[in-house]
Amino acid sequence: MKRYVCGVCGYVYDPAEGDPDGGIKKGVPFNDLPAEWVCPVCGASKDEFSPE
């Protein structure tokens, strides 16, 4: 699964890790994240992310 990078702060969303603090389980692909999900570091929206 592809990793995605936040264009604002550089945070990398890795599906293998998920976002446990944000309620996202391991194995959830970026495209399946809820529309309201935001970068856990800087709060940027999903549209600020690009494939690594």
Side-chain angles (χ1 to χ4, degrees), residues 3-21:
R3 296 172 11 139
Y4 281 73
V5 181
C6 178
V8 175
C9 73
Y11 167 81
V12 176
Y13 175 76
D14 184 349
E17 297 297 320
D19 177 16
D21 293 339

Side-chain angles (χ1 to χ4, degrees), residues 14-50:
D14 184 349
E17 297 297 320
D19 177 16
D21 293 339
I24 306 299
K25 296 178 182 178
K26 293 179 181 181
V28 176
F30 183 82
N31 290 332
D32 290 349
L33 293 173
E36 63 275 4
W37 182 84
V38 296
C39 177
V41 174
C42 73
S45 63
K46 280 179 67 177
D47 63 354
E48 295 290 343
F49 282 72
S50 58

